[in-house]
Amino acid sequence: MAIATRTSPLAMAQALMVQAQLAAAHGVEDIEGGFPILGLVTTGDQITDRALLDAGGKGLFTRELDRAQLDGKAAFAVHSMKDVPTHLPDGLELACVLEREDPSDILLTATGPGTLKSLPEGALIGTASLRRQAQALHARPDLQITLLRGNVGTRLQKLKDGPIAATFLAKAGLKRLGRPEGDWPGLDFAHSLPAPAQGAIGVTIRSDDDAARAALAPLNHVPTALAIAAERGVLEALDGSCRTPLAAYGAFSDGSLHLTAEVLKPDGSQRWRMDDARTGIDKIEAARAFGLSLGEALRKDGGAAVEAILTGTGS
């Protein structure tokens, strides 16, 4: 049963995690024979000179993996869930979500971990994320932003070479790569709420593949699956795309699912944030409905200004 994945170092590390967990769950000693890995270069991996919005937006990191599954070349596809569109292609479904890693962002400088407050006046930050750009500018309007894309190693080298003063990376990715920066403190959610489903790994299957679904069942972490379903519900309600600076984070505490979501203007000049909590969320559809309702409430609260952002007509 082959596992499709992107070939970036982080994607391969995540695929190896799934491979090892599948083998352990089913007592398979020949890991490569039982669950071979099929590495694929996606459209998103090939585009490093411009923002994803300019190249087609969400789905650029999943299309080739989707095709491999639909063509029968792979039973599973491993994804960073923040890259997965809210609606999967016909014939595919999300069958498993691993337990989530710390979803926070880390701000890296050439000399170590930083905070938005600690950066010098007018510092240049490199990022390709509109969310991170908007959040940084909301906290520090004086900061300058430049496009920075590429894998973790590429971005860290560009940071070292200058003139970029800092860049953002997901703590989860750094930890999975075994990098020491993964142990650095994450940014406060008050200023840097994560992207929906950040830090979560999902595995898709063909909808008619009952054997693949059964194989993944022991790996599925229900609290994580419910939390990201709520976050992706927010994304769906707000028609989230690469042009929309939005964030959402859900977590269980004291028996309730607590959900926070926000939308910002790309220039950071305005932010709309709401939070809510509900008990009894134990099904994916209920979690999705919770996220949809909070997203719709946020959309209503922002009125015409948020609609302009969502349609790409606002700055």
Side-chain angles (χ1 to χ4, degrees), residues 59 62-71 77 79 88-89 92 204:
T62 61
R63 291 172 189 165
E64 285 78 5
L65 277 64
D66 296 340
R67 178 48 53 195
Q69 288 188 279
L70 293 171
D71 289 347
H79 301 281
L88 297 177
L92 297 180
T204 58

Side-chain angles (χ1 to χ4, degrees), residues 155-294:
R155 284 187 269 178
L156 290 176
Q157 187 60 48
K158 289 182 178 179
L159 177 63
K160 180 180 178 181
D161 295 341
I164 295 167
T167 188
F168 298 97
L169 287 170
K171 186 179 178 76
L174 292 166
K175 289 179 72 69
R176 289 174 185 143
L177 287 170
R179 297 195 62 107
E181 298 94 343
D183 293 326
W184 291 359
L187 293 174
D188 191 328
F189 283 7
H191 301 297
S192 299
L193 196 68
Q198 183 160 306
I201 297 171
V203 188
T204 58
I205 63 170
R206 290 187 302 278
S207 300
D208 61 359
D209 193 340
D210 294 334
R213 186 181 296 105
L216 288 170
L219 280 61
N220 190 48
H221 189 254
V222 174
T224 299
L226 293 171
I228 70 160
E231 294 165 25
R232 284 165 59 80
V234 172
L235 189 68
E236 185 178 351
L238 295 169
D239 297 326
S241 71
C242 294
R243 75 161 65 91
T244 313
L246 67 85
Y249 177 65
F252 282 91
S253 177
D254 299 324
S256 296
L257 178 56
H258 296 255
L259 183 61
T260 303
E262 68 180 26
V263 177
L264 304 97
K265 281 192 171 183
D267 65 3
S269 59
Q270 284 185 277
R271 181 181 75 173
W272 297 264
R273 177 182 278 215
M274 300 185 76
D275 56 61
D276 198 0
R278 289 190 186 177
T279 59
I281 300 290
D282 58 2
K283 297 288 189 297
I284 293 296
E285 276 307 309
R288 173 177 171 267
F290 179 26
L292 283 169
S293 68
L294 187 62

Side-chain angles (χ1 to χ4, degrees), residues 36-147:
I37 290 179
L38 173 63
L40 299 169
V41 177
T42 69
T43 304
D45 294 313
Q46 298 176 60
I47 299 170
T48 59
D49 61 345
R50 58 193 186 277
L52 291 181
L53 173 61
D54 299 330
K58 273 190 176 291
L60 293 175
F61 291 117
T62 61
R63 291 172 189 165
E64 285 78 5
L65 277 64
D66 296 340
R67 178 48 53 195
Q69 288 188 279
L70 293 171
D71 289 347
K73 296 177 181 177
F76 313 106
V78 179
H79 301 281
S80 292
M81 282 304 301
K82 72 174 183 178
D83 295 332
V84 178
T86 51
H87 296 288
L88 297 177
D90 290 342
L92 297 180
E93 66 180 66
L94 178 65
C96 170
V97 180
L98 304 190
E99 185 172 3
R100 191 181 212 165
E101 182 55 87
D102 186 332
S104 60
D105 286 331
I106 293 177
L107 186 68
L108 297 95
T109 74
T111 57
T115 64
L116 291 172
K117 184 178 180 180
S118 69
L119 292 175
E121 182 80 15
L124 182 65
I125 294 182
T127 182
S129 165
L130 200 55
R131 169 187 64 86
R132 288 166 172 161
Q133 167 188 308
Q135 289 173 336
L137 292 174
H138 182 73
R140 288 279 307 274
D142 62 288
L143 295 175
Q144 304 297 310
I145 307 294
T146 188
L147 177 68

